[in-house]
Amino acid sequence: MRCSRLLLQRSNALALYRRSVNTWSAVGAAFNVQHQRLEPLQKNVGLFGVPELSGPAGFQMAQHQALREAEFLVHKACTHPPGAVTVETFDQLSDSLCRVADLADFIKVAHPDAAFREAAERTCVEIGTLVEILNTNVDLCQSLKNLLGNEAVLATLDSDTRRVAELFMFDFEISGIHLDESKRSKAVALNVKLLDLYHEFLSGSQLPNAIDKQVLPEHIRHCFSIDGNRVQIGGLHADSPNELVREAAYKIFLYPNTSLLLCLDELLAGRHELATLVGYESFAHRALKGTMAKTPENVMKFLKLLTEKLSDRTSRDFKMMKEMKKKTHTTNPEVMPWDHAYLSSAIRTEMFNIDPSIYSPYFSLGACMEGLNRLFMQLVGVYFQAEQPKMGELWSEDVRKLAVVHETEGLLGYIYCDFFRRPDKPHQDCHFTIRGGRLREDGVYQLPVVVLMLSLPPPSGRTPSLLTPSMVENLFHEMGHAMHSMLGRTLYQHVTGTRCSTDFAEVPSILMEYFASDYRVLSQFARHYQTGEIFYAALDQVYHGKPQYRSTTDILREVQEKFYGLPYVHDTAWQLRFSHLVGYGAKYYSYLMSRAVASMVWRQCFLQDPFSRVMGEHYHREMLAHGGGKEPVLMVQGMLQKTPTIEDFVDALVLDLNANVKSPVL
């Protein structure tokens, strides 16, 4: 069988790997040994080396400085004759605001000090408000119109400068620059109101639900956090082998919160009002302009076609899950929504029959980082250097700093690795741009700075952080984002790295998952595909389409029945925990479409040789280098030498699934 051969190949790879690693490189050691403490007498250089940010009050200083600089640049843009300098000034304006706002956006969720988080949150709101005002500034927009309307001047611009000018104009258009003054003011007010609603919804979606402990059977109370006479449930406990624990967590954690339901209603209504105010049929139509999908109609066509092609496979997988539940449970033979994660894991464990204790020692974080280091060197000539941070540069002493260096071009940028769990740190894996790359006015390239945030177990004593296969996949995924940021050497920070359409931004990160699952790169279980993602994407589209004048829960129930296959559970509101509704409004399908593109790139370019320098450089040149400075469909076309259709995307996902023999869909 194919699975058996893969496992044998992976076992051989592990044996070779064990024989070849005797000492850790500087990169491996940086993640596998206790971090060196900084001398307390060193000068505090401020977060990320920004002097003002040596304390929470520094955010106000940095904010005021950015606002003063913005005022100067707005005046310059409005008074300078049209030309390349117009676009350069717009990009400087964007950069001056983003350098503060992006940093604050990260600190408000990751810093262990509440004072820092609160100061960063206030800065995000202030600069976010200014951005909305600038996006409806008629004089500022007119300076760009003067450029784009002058054919003689346009002819002197390079293609990157012209595209960035068009993207800035697009921002004006979707913000309602064409409206009269009263409607423009209304658009600004709506955007500001939405910023508050986003914060309220995101905060509420993370809060635990509490219940009197007497309601729960005594033998499962210890599985949850107990505060006096109340049990706090802050998650679904989906991996618990105890069915009653999973059921209780699902019903309590997802119990409807009236104020949060109203917040979501207001958020969706506000988005629709804003979209129609500026001339779009729905918020989804506004959000998808400029993406690979282009329209919500194309997204729904993609999701429905994918659902149809997977229906037989999904039915077989539900049957497998039902059989597994009969083996492991006696209370309820039906598969319920709280069962699918646990049962899927149990099925995979039974199929592959591999004891984690056999492979986990080979997946120390240091070993994985060394593997990534070698892979990037072979593919694109890039390697990592562990750097000692200065006092005050980090928000937590367990953060590691990496310099990213190209073998001929030199230093490309910095990655701050916030990888380990700690109290009050969000349990999420993500990539944050702190500073975008761009060519500065003095001819020096502004190096990009990013943060990768994971939730890995910290090293303990002499035992390094040991990763599960899913943790390895997440590490590779987020490093794909980081390398996109490092290698996207664009002239303008407005389109640097991951600042591109959402349904393309996930392609480099998902492609890295294919490398992570290839035994020749790093041994790992075969990945599996989740039909749940189709349901989430469809729900996101319906919520952001035309108003249906019924509750979000009623919409959830209908979409779940159509796209998921598991029954809706009475008195639950899963949508209130779907925090991606804020960040990915109408774009949650992006994961699926990006996976389709990544699958095509993997099969066509790297499946035969995952270390091919020729293909690595081709990938760098056609996809990574442009950031958002080129139409995403053109980048895909350049990489694959064809323009994929919706049907091609669906076929790629189905082929990807079927290649993993016996791997369950769910």
Side-chain angles (χ1 to χ4, degrees):
M1 289 176 60
R2 179 178 180 273
C3 289
S4 300
R5 289 199 300 272
L6 279 176
L7 294 177
L8 177 61
Q9 289 168 326
R10 288 171 179 155
S11 298
N12 291 338
L14 285 173
L16 288 171
Y17 186 70
R18 178 168 58 177
R19 288 197 294 272
S20 66
V21 176
N22 297 312
T23 59
W24 296 112
S25 70
V27 171
F31 292 90
N32 267 8
V33 299
Q34 293 293 328
H35 202 42
Q36 181 178 343
R37 292 181 179 272
L38 299 175
E39 292 296 330
L41 297 180
Q42 287 184 359
K43 179 183 177 182
N44 189 322
V45 301
L47 291 169
F48 297 101
V50 179
E52 295 87 350
L53 299 183
S54 57
F59 273 102
Q60 190 170 17
M61 295 168 58
Q63 173 188 316
H64 286 165
Q65 184 176 332
L67 296 182
R68 286 196 301 270
E69 189 174 349
E71 186 177 357
F72 167 77
L73 291 169
V74 168
H75 176 75
K76 180 180 177 181
C78 292
T79 56
H80 200 281
V85 69
T86 306
V87 183
E88 293 164 5
T89 304
F90 267 79
D91 194 63
Q92 284 178 258
L93 174 60
S94 174
D95 182 61
S96 66
L97 297 175
C98 287
R99 274 189 285 116
V100 179
D102 289 343
L103 192 157
D105 195 48
F106 168 70
I107 292 298
K108 76 178 183 182
V109 299
H111 204 291
D113 187 334
F116 267 100
R117 295 197 302 270
E118 291 165 6
E121 174 65 34
R122 289 193 294 271
T123 292
C124 286
V125 172
E126 289 295 326
I127 293 188
T129 301
L130 175 62
V131 169
E132 298 305 335
I133 293 172
L134 290 176
N135 281 341
T136 54
N137 184 310
V138 176
D139 293 335
L140 191 60
C141 179
Q142 188 60 49
S143 69
L144 200 58
K145 284 184 177 179
N146 292 340
L147 169 67
L148 292 172
N150 191 322
E151 290 297 331
V153 175
L154 277 181
T156 67
L157 304 183
D158 60 75
S159 59
D160 288 350
T161 301
R162 188 166 183 163
R163 172 160 170 79
V164 171
E166 291 168 349
L167 288 173
F168 277 121
M169 181 55 73
F170 174 65
D171 289 340
F172 279 118
E173 290 171 352
I174 65 172
S175 297
I177 195 67
H178 53 285
L179 303 175
D180 60 39
E181 185 175 352
S182 63
K183 289 183 178 179
R184 285 199 308 274
S185 298
K186 186 176 181 180
V188 171
L190 274 171
N191 273 306
V192 172
K193 179 182 178 182
L194 284 169
L195 289 175
D196 291 335
L197 289 170
Y198 296 159
H199 177 66
E200 180 183 346
F201 185 78
L202 287 174
S203 299
S205 69
Q206 304 299 321
L207 293 176
N209 274 345
I211 192 170
D212 193 304
K213 69 179 182 181
Q214 300 301 323
V215 175
L216 291 178
E218 187 174 358
H219 69 282
I220 68 169
R221 292 175 196 165
H222 70 280
C223 298
F224 308 107
S225 175
I226 299 178
D227 182 12
N229 290 322
R230 306 281 285 174
V231 172
Q232 299 276 349
I233 298 182
L236 293 175
H237 292 253
D239 296 327
S240 172
N242 188 317
E243 180 183 7
L244 190 56
V245 168
R246 299 197 305 272
E247 180 179 358
Y250 188 94
K251 290 181 175 178
I252 297 169
F253 184 62
L254 298 184
Y255 190 79
N257 177 307
T258 303
S259 63
L260 208 56
L261 282 170
L262 292 173
C263 174
L264 179 57
D265 286 340
E266 198 172 355
L267 188 159
L268 295 174
R271 279 180 163 174
H272 182 73
E273 183 180 2
L274 176 64
T276 55
L277 179 65
V278 299
Y280 289 88
E281 190 175 339
S282 70
F283 185 82
H285 285 86
R286 178 180 184 263
L288 295 180
K289 189 172 181 180
T291 63
M292 285 196 294
K294 298 189 183 303
T295 68
E297 290 78 15
N298 283 339
V299 173
M300 291 307 293
K301 177 183 177 182
F302 168 61
L303 296 174
K304 288 176 180 177
L305 185 57
L306 185 56
T307 301
E308 291 169 6
K309 289 209 171 186
L310 290 177
S311 60
D312 290 343
R313 178 64 184 266
T314 302
S315 297
R316 292 198 301 271
D317 287 345
F318 273 123
K319 184 178 180 181
M320 291 170 60
M321 293 173 71
K322 191 169 184 178
E323 292 170 353
M324 176 58 72
K325 189 166 185 183
K326 287 179 181 177
K327 294 180 185 178
T328 56
H329 299 76
T330 56
T331 55
N332 182 1
E334 295 301 318
V335 177
M336 299 300 292
W338 51 79
D339 291 325
H340 78 273
Y342 173 76
L343 294 178
S344 296
S345 176
I347 291 170
R348 290 193 299 276
T349 300
E350 183 178 85
M351 282 181 175
F352 300 124
N353 194 27
I354 295 182
D355 183 352
S357 65
I358 296 175
Y359 60 77
S360 62
Y362 302 103
F363 293 117
S364 71
L365 176 57
C368 293
M369 291 302 294
E370 287 189 346
L372 282 164
N373 201 21
R374 289 195 297 271
L375 177 62
F376 291 135
M377 187 63 195
Q378 289 170 291
L379 287 176
V380 289
V382 167
Y383 59 93
F384 301 142
Q385 284 183 340
E387 286 211 354
Q388 179 71 12
K390 297 177 181 178
M391 177 63 67
E393 187 176 353
L394 306 180
W395 51 100
S396 177
E397 66 177 17
D398 60 3
V399 175
R400 311 302 198 249
K401 181 183 179 182
L402 293 178
V404 181
V405 184
H406 189 272
E407 59 186 1
T408 59
E409 297 177 22
L411 182 62
L412 297 181
Y414 294 99
I415 303 173
Y416 288 82
C417 301
D418 189 354
F419 284 171
F420 303 116
R421 299 169 188 155
R422 60 177 178 270
D424 297 326
K425 178 183 174 182
H427 188 75
Q428 61 188 71
D429 298 339
C430 45
H431 162 277
F432 291 86
T433 296
I434 303 300
R435 184 178 70 198
R438 71 181 183 101
L439 186 63
R440 296 189 330 207
E441 301 70 52
D442 58 6
V444 176
Y445 198 81
Q446 176 173 290
L447 298 177
V449 176
V450 304
V451 173
L452 296 188
M453 189 163 74
L454 301 176
S455 301
L456 304 179
S460 176
R462 294 187 176 181
T463 302
S465 177
L466 300 179
L467 276 56
T468 64
S470 63
M471 290 175 184
V472 175
E473 185 175 277
N474 289 347
L475 170 64
F476 272 61
H477 178 102
E478 300 304 333
M479 194 57 75
H481 283 310
M483 296 310 291
H484 195 182
S485 292
M486 294 297 111
L487 291 169
R489 308 291 281 183
T490 54
L491 293 175
Y492 302 101
Q493 69 81 37
H494 191 65
V495 291
T496 185
T498 57
R499 288 178 179 159
C500 54
S501 72
T502 308
D503 56 6
F504 181 80
E506 293 296 330
V507 172
S509 55
I510 293 175
L511 180 61
M512 285 303 299
E513 295 177 21
Y514 287 84
F515 285 96
S517 65
D518 190 285
Y519 70 92
R520 294 164 295 180
V521 179
L522 195 63
S523 298
Q524 185 184 333
F525 286 135
R527 66 191 163 275
H528 68 285
Y529 180 77
Q530 295 185 348
T531 55
E533 294 295 318
I534 304 176
F535 159 50
Y536 305 152
L539 183 66
D540 178 42
Q541 285 297 306
V542 175
Y543 276 164
H544 289 99
K546 294 180 180 179
Q548 299 195 20
Y549 305 106
R550 54 188 178 134
S551 74
T552 55
T553 301
D554 286 341
I555 295 172
L556 171 83
R557 182 188 294 110
E558 180 180 295
V559 175
Q560 184 167 331
E561 290 172 356
K562 185 181 296 185
F563 287 94
Y564 200 12
L566 291 176
Y568 166 77
V569 178
H570 181 65
D571 266 346
T572 62
W574 176 86
Q575 72 272 25
L576 300 184
R577 302 295 182 177
F578 190 21
S579 60
H580 283 302
L581 283 174
V582 170
Y584 282 82
K587 296 180 182 178
Y588 196 76
Y589 76 93
S590 297
Y591 286 106
L592 292 170
M593 191 161 283
S594 292
R595 181 169 293 280
V597 174
S599 175
M600 288 186 270
V601 172
W602 171 258
R603 291 181 184 283
Q604 183 171 316
C605 304
F606 294 108
L607 181 59
Q608 294 302 315
D609 180 6
F611 307 108
S612 170
R613 183 61 177 266
V614 172
M615 282 301 169
E617 294 293 354
H618 179 58
Y619 171 52
H620 179 189
R621 184 174 60 253
E622 295 293 340
M623 282 189 151
L624 296 181
H626 301 288
K630 192 174 181 179
E631 286 282 352
V633 70
L634 295 179
M635 289 188 275
V636 174
Q637 185 180 33
M639 190 68 194
L640 300 175
Q641 300 301 302
K642 66 170 289 188
T643 303
T645 63
I646 293 294
E647 289 75 14
D648 290 331
F649 291 144
V650 170
D651 289 343
L653 289 173
V654 174
L655 180 64
D656 192 43
L657 171 63
N658 290 335
N660 293 301
V661 179
K662 291 189 176 181
S663 176
V665 169
L666 292 171

